[in-house]
Amino acid sequence: MNRREFLAGTAALALAPRISFAETKKLRLAPARQSLVGEANPATEVWAYNGTVPGPELRFKQGERLVIPVENALSVDTTVHWHGIRLPNAMDGVPHLTQAPIAANGGRFLYEFDLPDAGTYWYHPHLGSPEQVGRGLYGALIVEERDPPAVDRDLVWVLSDWRLDRQARNLEDFRNFMDSSHAGRIGNTVTVNGAILETFAVRAGERIRLRLINASNARIYGLSFEGHQPWIVALDGQPVAPHWDGRVVLGPAMRADVILDCAAAPGSRHRIIDDFYARRAYRLLNIEYASDKPLREAFEPAPRLAANRIPQADLDKAARHRIVFGGGMMGAMPSQREHRGLFWTVNGKPVPEGDHAHPPLLNLGKGKPYLIELVNDTSWHHPIHLHGHVFRVLTRNGRPVMPEQLGDTVLLDPDSRAEIAFVADNPGDWMLHCHVLEHQATGMMAVVRVA
Ligand code: C2O
Ligand code: CU
């Protein structure tokens, strides 16, 4: 099914009633209904933080302390993981590993930690993720620089991907064999901030900071901006020398901060295209220029954001490890007799989601530098995420990554490898897993211990 098929009769979208964070000062999880594909279609049943998908956009200043009580009114247990934040292990939101689950039907948990790094982050459950994220549980966590670059607008686009039927119902085929053993649950409808966005209205001469977050279970995006040359200024929240390669590729969980200079003519219209899956390219939305005269005539080059204080790994002293991701269809899938429902492996072993006692894959010394080669021995893409740390991506597909890039998630292409380096400075047990949530839940995860 094509997302366009839903659009007949779509007019301006009304938003679901919002219970804002500012009002409640907490996150409350509950079922809700939301119009994803326009008023001409029925609303979709979702699970939401404070009544909307995405959940409230949480904004803090760098160095501030996040204090958020969470109340779970769903009928399933949950946790909240603060993706990309270097926080104390006990606040990381991994069930059984760092905390007890927040119980169904009224369980509570207080998250409280400092925000050391500016950047674009997000939050989502870490329990039953294929279903919980697939039903709409995620939101943006923005940590603003103390001295942010001057822009006319600072906007967040949470990209998500749904598998809807013709009544706009979210299909409940979570964790099916096909998705889990192949590319994960890729849907048929892409939303921006919880609705199909037809047009994005801009004014000529505007400079816009767009914070793109891929909150999809499995879909990878490759976005290009017709008629524009945006600057990528941060990846996974971490500043990068401003540059543009023609498109920005975001695997699940990855983020990009882009400076979009609206240098085209008043009254003009341009498409944002997603062509990551080349044969399934589509128009995400149109950038529509108002007819007003330009706000400014020319643009300075995009400024470089101030780096966060991430410790630099000394590569000469770094201990080396190699982690091989295997399995999946057309690969060395674990025997289903021995490992029913597990399709993926890390260093040859599938780790069941509910296995809380498995020994750490790696034992790292606190404060020591590491260089880890991540090998994708499968026919599928895997965005590999490490908790609690920010790493440098040294190489991908055998080539040095330029300009220098930091992040918490690295996209491994099929049959490829990447090298990452970091200082293991955050003590605790940390997850290392694929962020295609159906892969994570069917074997592709491990624990790294820093002690
Ligand atoms: Cu975004 Cu282990 O998670
Ligand atoms: Cu994967």
Side-chain angles (χ1 to χ4, degrees):
M1 194 181 315
N2 184 308
R3 70 189 281 273
R4 318 295 322 157
E5 288 170 28
F6 284 110
L7 295 179
T10 301
L13 303 181
L15 286 175
R18 263 175 200 278
I19 309 161
S20 74
F21 184 76
E23 260 168 65
T24 59
K25 293 279 182 218
K26 70 173 180 193
L27 289 178
R28 183 171 187 276
L29 292 79
R33 291 175 66 77
Q34 181 156 325
S35 175
L36 301 175
V37 287
E39 295 295 303
N41 297 281
T44 302
E45 286 182 28
V46 297
W47 290 355
Y49 294 108
N50 297 5
T52 60
V53 179
E57 182 180 308
L58 306 175
R59 282 208 179 236
F60 294 85
K61 281 273 180 209
Q62 183 170 18
E64 281 181 348
R65 192 164 178 80
L66 174 155
V67 182
I68 297 184
V70 173
E71 185 191 332
N72 180 16
L74 297 172
S75 57
V76 295
D77 294 357
T78 193
T79 62
V80 184
H81 171 58
W82 310 90
H83 185 116
I85 304 288
R86 298 188 299 145
L87 41 58
N89 195 246
M91 293 289 121
D92 197 39
V94 179
H96 308 291
L97 191 69
T98 70
Q99 68 168 92
I102 310 174
N105 306 313
R108 289 162 191 269
F109 191 86
L110 179 67
Y111 290 96
E112 181 170 12
F113 50 88
D114 293 333
L115 297 161
D117 304 322
T120 300
Y121 305 95
W122 65 298
Y123 56 96
H124 64 80
H126 219 286
L127 203 171
S129 313
E131 177 176 8
Q132 295 197 19
V133 174
R135 289 186 185 272
L137 291 171
Y138 38 80
L141 170 54
I142 306 302
V143 185
E144 296 173 349
E145 296 85 8
R146 284 271 160 200
D147 186 16
V151 292
D152 299 307
R153 285 191 282 165
D154 175 335
L155 302 175
V156 179
W157 285 4
V158 178
L159 300 171
S160 49
D161 171 42
W162 307 80
R163 185 176 289 169
L164 302 180
D165 70 9
R166 290 181 177 275
Q167 281 73 50
R169 287 180 302 222
N170 195 6
L171 292 176
E172 301 185 347
D173 59 346
F174 304 105
R175 298 169 184 256
N176 70 54
F177 167 79
M178 261 304 278
D179 290 341
S180 302
S181 61
H182 292 71
R185 188 173 199 264
I186 295 178
N188 52 23
T189 305
V190 171
T191 56
V192 177
N193 296 338
I196 284 188
L197 192 63
E198 275 292 276
T199 59
F200 172 52
V202 305
R203 175 163 179 195
E206 255 194 303
R207 168 165 275 187
I208 300 170
R209 178 176 186 167
L210 267 186
R211 301 170 183 264
L212 306 170
I213 301 176
N214 182 357
S216 313
N217 283 29
R219 180 183 287 274
I220 305 169
Y221 299 83
L223 302 179
S224 54
F225 296 68
E226 240 180 28
H228 293 75
Q229 292 269 316
W231 305 86
I232 297 176
V233 296
L235 291 166
D236 284 359
Q238 307 303 327
V240 62
H243 68 287
W244 181 243
D245 311 317
R247 68 176 188 173
V248 54
V249 172
L250 290 178
M254 298 172 78
R255 291 88 65 210
D257 285 44
V258 158
I259 299 266
L260 178 66
D261 288 334
C262 298
S268 64
R269 172 198 276 195
H270 312 265
R271 297 178 303 170
I272 297 183
I273 303 285
D274 174 10
D275 63 357
F276 183 80
Y277 308 101
R279 282 171 303 144
R280 281 184 278 157
Y282 65 95
R283 173 176 61 93
L284 180 69
L285 56 86
N286 283 327
I287 304 177
E288 292 235 3
Y289 278 67
S291 51
D292 312 57
K293 72 172 200 333
L295 264 181
R296 54 174 76 70
E297 288 303 332
F299 295 92
E300 302 282 309
R304 199 185 167 126
L305 303 175
N308 291 313
R309 300 185 53 178
I310 311 294
Q312 278 254 12
D314 179 342
L315 297 181
D316 295 329
K317 300 214 175 80
R320 290 170 180 256
H321 293 280
R322 186 163 192 267
I323 301 178
V324 180
F325 299 92
M329 205 45 98
M330 300 183 286
M333 225 161 75
S335 132
Q336 290 302 294
R337 187 129 41 90
E338 236 181 296
H339 302 285
R340 219 180 117 69
L342 295 176
F343 310 122
W344 304 93
T345 58
V346 181
N347 285 354
K349 273 197 221 93
V351 176
E353 195 186 17
D355 186 351
H356 314 309
H358 60 89
L361 177 77
L362 296 176
N363 282 287
L364 306 182
K366 182 173 179 286
K368 299 234 162 64
Y370 290 91
L371 193 164
I372 299 186
E373 185 185 21
L374 304 169
V375 180
N376 180 1
D377 190 18
T378 80
S379 308
W380 306 91
H381 287 93
H382 304 290
I384 302 298
H385 171 47
L386 173 66
H387 286 209
H389 296 79
V390 168
F391 50 72
R392 181 169 159 210
V393 186
L394 301 171
T395 65
R396 277 186 74 225
N397 305 325
R399 284 184 298 276
V401 170
M402 298 294 279
E404 182 173 311
Q405 185 180 316
L406 301 172
D408 51 63
T409 307
V410 58
L411 182 61
L412 300 183
D413 292 333
D415 292 307
S416 77
R417 55 196 67 211
E419 288 172 300
I420 61 170
F422 62 97
V423 176
D425 62 342
N426 200 355
D429 283 351
W430 302 102
M431 297 286 299
L432 171 82
H433 64 85
C434 179
H435 223 289
V436 169
L437 301 173
E438 293 73 24
H439 295 177
Q440 177 197 353
T442 58
M444 200 176 272
M445 64 166 160
V447 170
V448 172
R449 177 166 294 167
V450 177

